Amino acid sequence: MSDRTTTAGTSAQAGQAPPSKEVGGFYDGLSGLLTELFGGSLHEGYWKSPDDPATMAEASRQLTDLLTEKLELKPGDRVLDLGCGSGAPAVRLARSTGAQVVGITNSAVQIEAAVRNAEEAGLGEQVSFACADATVLDFEAESFDAVLMIESIFHLPDRLGALREVARVLRPGGRVALTDLLDLDPAPAPMEQAVGDLAEHSREHGHASLVNKPIRLEEYSSLLEQAGLVLVEGADVTEHTVAPTLKCLRQKLTDDHEELVGKYGGQVVGQYESVLPLLEKAGFGYGVVVAAVPERP
């Protein structure tokens, strides 16, 4: 099974995404449950082959490792983890590369968990976290060697604006590695209807729409160019990620239902149980994109 790749494309602005406070509020309420369901992180798993026996936790770490490899880090490099979640990817990246990591999220609950994870790993001085707005980064220009964005860009209201901020804070030659939801061609389900269903579900639970419209992988080349970045690699890894992740989540919710309700409450568990069928129906794709700031002449 091979990944589809792209190095060219067209403009890529589409759809509406939530205000950052809505995303933060969503994750404040569900972070504990989601962290347990996803095996310690808050992102998809990556299975290397159809017969890869990895658990959800192991596959989640494999996705972190895949993105880390793409950044080509060396000890002492400064990395921004934009949308750091529980902090598990930042801690893992720091331990494996020797890089200094700054993680940001707009969820206070996630910050508490991330700080705790770094301290328990003995990396409290190497990895730090802060509540911050990912759309307007409060960092000086050219202050990072790399940026990690795992499942954060599709929560932001403006992909192009976010990437311009990333380009601004990266040093020449610095890389960004990100994952995004893909609008597949041919799509296995109507994407606009799926996004609409998720938005309606969010409104019913007191949130704005939490997901921006999926993007075609081919559109990233132009999008990055507008942001001042150069596409290094784009890969459709849907077959390695989406279906096995959803299967693991469904199995965990079924096998450990009573335990999860005891820990997080029936309302929280029920809220995610009602989201899962929408995700299964949606047929979103999943892509990995790597880009760089051009070197100075």
Side-chain angles (χ1 to χ4, degrees):
M1 181 165 54
S2 63
D3 302 333
R4 289 186 288 163
T5 61
T6 182
T7 57
T10 57
S11 181
Q13 288 306 297
Q16 297 295 319
S20 60
K21 64 180 180 180
E22 295 288 351
V23 178
F26 173 81
Y27 280 111
D28 279 346
L30 286 177
S31 281
L33 172 64
L34 293 178
T35 299
E36 183 160 349
L37 290 177
F38 282 86
S41 297
L42 286 167
H43 60 69
E44 301 260 341
Y46 181 90
W47 284 263
K48 299 177 181 179
S49 67
D51 57 356
D52 184 346
T55 64
M56 183 67 237
E58 291 166 343
S60 181
R61 292 192 289 269
Q62 287 179 173
L63 182 65
T64 296
D65 292 344
L66 176 66
L67 273 289
T68 298
E69 290 171 9
K70 303 295 184 184
L71 293 176
E72 298 186 346
L73 299 168
K74 60 184 181 299
D77 279 351
R78 194 163 185 252
V79 180
L80 174 63
D81 184 358
L82 198 162
C84 62
S86 66
V91 169
R92 186 169 180 84
L93 181 152
R95 182 187 291 117
S96 66
T97 66
Q100 297 282 330
V101 184
V102 178
I104 64 170
T105 175
N106 53 10
S107 166
V109 170
Q110 289 183 351
I111 289 294
E112 291 179 7
V115 169
R116 183 168 60 251
N117 283 337
E119 291 177 348
E120 290 176 354
L123 296 172
E125 295 185 1
Q126 188 178 343
V127 185
S128 62
F129 302 96
C131 275
D133 184 350
T135 63
V136 184
L137 298 176
D138 190 21
F139 299 105
E140 294 182 2
E142 301 184 9
S143 56
F144 289 95
D145 299 288
V147 175
L148 179 68
M149 299 178 70
I150 304 182
E151 296 186 18
S152 55
I153 197 164
F154 57 76
H155 285 311
L156 301 178
D158 178 10
R159 283 185 175 93
L160 178 55
L163 290 170
R164 281 175 170 157
E165 277 292 273
V166 167
R168 183 183 66 80
V169 302
L170 276 173
R171 298 185 178 113
R175 287 191 169 197
V176 54
L178 64 86
T179 64
D180 202 351
L181 297 181
L182 299 182
D183 185 353
L184 299 178
D185 184 18
M191 290 294 173
E192 289 189 8
Q193 181 62 47
V195 173
D197 290 345
L198 286 167
E200 179 61 29
H201 180 277
S202 297
R203 286 191 292 270
E204 290 174 357
H205 288 84
H207 302 292
S209 174
L210 295 168
V211 178
N212 203 340
K213 185 178 179 180
I215 186 172
R216 293 191 184 279
L217 185 60
E218 309 85 65
E219 296 179 84
Y220 253 102
S221 181
S222 177
L223 184 64
L224 293 166
E225 182 180 358
Q226 293 175 68
L229 296 160
V230 176
L231 179 65
V232 174
E233 176 185 350
D236 178 348
V237 296
T238 304
E239 293 184 16
H240 295 273
T241 54
V242 177
T245 293
L246 291 173
K247 180 180 178 180
C248 284
L249 297 180
R250 172 67 68 185
Q251 194 68 49
K252 177 75 172 176
L253 283 167
T254 300
D255 293 347
D256 300 338
H257 185 269
E258 291 187 9
E259 180 183 347
L260 294 171
V261 168
K263 281 185 178 180
Y264 305 107
Q267 182 177 359
V268 170
V269 174
Q271 182 176 348
Y272 195 71
E273 285 179 324
S274 63
V275 168
L276 194 55
L278 300 178
L279 296 174
E280 291 169 331
K281 178 183 177 182
F284 294 142
Y286 196 84
V288 171
V289 175
V290 185
V293 174
E295 296 275 7
R296 288 198 180 98

